Amino acid sequence: MKSLEDIDAYLIKNNKFEFISFDQVLYDKSNKLYQNRVLQYAIKPSDLSKGFIYLSPILCSGIKNFKLFIVLSLNGRIKFNNWPLFFRFRRNSLFKKHYKGSNWWGFNLQTTLKILKYIELNKRALYKYYKYTSSADEQFFHTILKELMLVDSTINVKPSVHFIDWERKGADLPVTFTTTDFNLLCRQPKNFLFARKFDLELDEEVLNLIDTTILERDKNVTIHKEV
């Protein structure tokens, strides 16, 4: 939603910050989301499936859960060498608290290197844990960053620079923007550099309007500076 020059200027001005949004702490054990994403194992029933089947640890569940485990194993959804992960009384969590949020984020180089180092040191445990976790991309970096922030006070966070509308009533969420949303997009503050979602098949003109408006505005700014 901003020109390349505006994006560069904003990121340079805020180069000491990480841009990531945390919309929930996965800590309430009575919450269904916590159960699905932390206490249970999430397994895709097929490569084409968009949903998950949730399994509890075998030693704390009933016969129905165990039968489902066997079916998924026979179908290749659970690898036999991973069986020890499931034969437990509870799923072992890597963190005291799990965090989630939008998977649209941006880190500066120093923090990126710290995250990569943490992943390298804990690769085996992290990959094994998140292999059977639903929507891991909405938790993986969020939780690791929070873990690093416990011991590193130099990491400072600002909200994500993406404008995403999750609030509109009577619409499929997040909202897919069309030309009717053009004025709404133009009114967004300078910290929103990008927006989603858009669909070329649904409405391509809204993107043309954004491009035209940004290019025309920057052209006018350049002329003004030259004068």
Side-chain angles (χ1 to χ4, degrees):
M1 293 194 295
K2 304 293 189 296
S3 69
L4 294 179
E5 290 78 9
D6 286 343
I7 292 172
D8 281 345
Y10 185 83
L11 294 180
I12 290 171
K13 181 179 179 180
N14 296 277
N15 63 1
K16 301 298 183 183
F17 292 93
E18 321 309 323
F19 299 103
I20 185 170
S21 296
F22 303 92
D23 59 33
Q24 192 165 357
V25 181
L26 292 174
Y27 193 63
D28 182 1
K29 295 183 180 181
S30 65
N31 186 286
K32 186 67 174 177
L33 195 64
Y34 180 88
Q35 295 175 20
N36 287 348
R37 296 197 180 189
V38 178
L39 299 183
Q40 296 178 309
Y41 302 95
I43 298 150
K44 281 188 171 294
S46 71
D47 292 334
L48 299 177
S49 174
K50 293 184 179 180
F52 292 92
I53 292 175
Y54 295 96
L55 282 176
S56 298
I58 300 304
L59 298 182
C60 72
S61 59
I63 188 66
K64 182 178 180 180
N65 190 75
F66 180 71
K67 287 181 177 178
L68 184 56
F69 168 79
I70 295 299
V71 170
L72 291 169
S73 297
L74 294 175
N75 289 341
R77 296 291 99 190
I78 301 174
K79 303 300 181 183
F80 290 106
N81 60 343
N82 285 331
W83 275 29
L85 289 175
F86 294 85
F87 278 85
R88 301 174 181 271
F89 286 101
R90 63 184 179 87
R91 189 182 186 194
N92 292 333
S93 173
L94 298 177
F95 306 100
K96 289 184 179 180
K97 289 186 179 181
H98 292 254
Y99 296 83
K100 70 173 287 292
S102 170
N103 54 9
W104 299 90
W105 43 257
F107 302 138
N108 65 41
L109 178 60
Q110 292 76 17
T111 298
T112 300
L113 293 175
K114 292 173 184 177
I115 291 173
L116 291 175
K117 182 179 179 180
Y118 183 92
I119 293 172
E120 186 62 31
L121 291 173
N122 301 277
K123 183 188 299 184
R124 179 168 180 164
L126 285 169
Y127 288 5
K128 185 181 290 186
Y129 180 84
Y130 284 105
K131 178 180 177 65
Y132 296 106
T133 300
S134 69
S135 304
D137 58 330
E138 296 179 358
Q139 299 169 231
F140 187 83
F141 292 100
H142 301 71
T143 305
I144 289 175
L145 186 65
K146 282 288 191 179
E147 194 76 5
L148 291 174
M149 290 173 68
L150 293 175
V151 295
D152 189 340
S153 60
T154 66
I155 299 176
N156 300 296
V157 171
K158 282 190 173 185
S160 171
V161 292
H162 281 75
F163 172 54
I164 307 172
D165 188 349
W166 286 98
E167 306 297 329
R168 189 175 305 180
K169 295 181 179 180
D172 292 333
L173 301 178
V175 171
T176 300
F177 297 119
T178 65
T179 51
T180 59
D181 300 301
F182 178 66
N183 289 331
L184 169 68
L185 294 169
C186 289
R187 290 197 305 268
Q188 296 309 308
K190 61 182 180 180
N191 59 297
F192 283 132
L193 309 179
F194 309 98
R196 68 179 292 265
K197 300 184 325 182
F198 297 95
D199 186 339
L200 290 176
E201 294 184 0
L202 176 64
D203 191 329
E204 183 178 359
E205 183 59 25
V206 62
L207 294 174
N208 294 331
L209 284 171
I210 292 172
D211 289 342
T212 302
T213 301
I214 291 173
L215 291 173
E216 193 64 33
R217 182 189 63 199
D218 288 350
K219 178 181 176 182
N220 292 334
V221 169
T222 302
I223 292 173
H224 177 74
K225 287 181 177 178
E226 289 176 351
V227 171

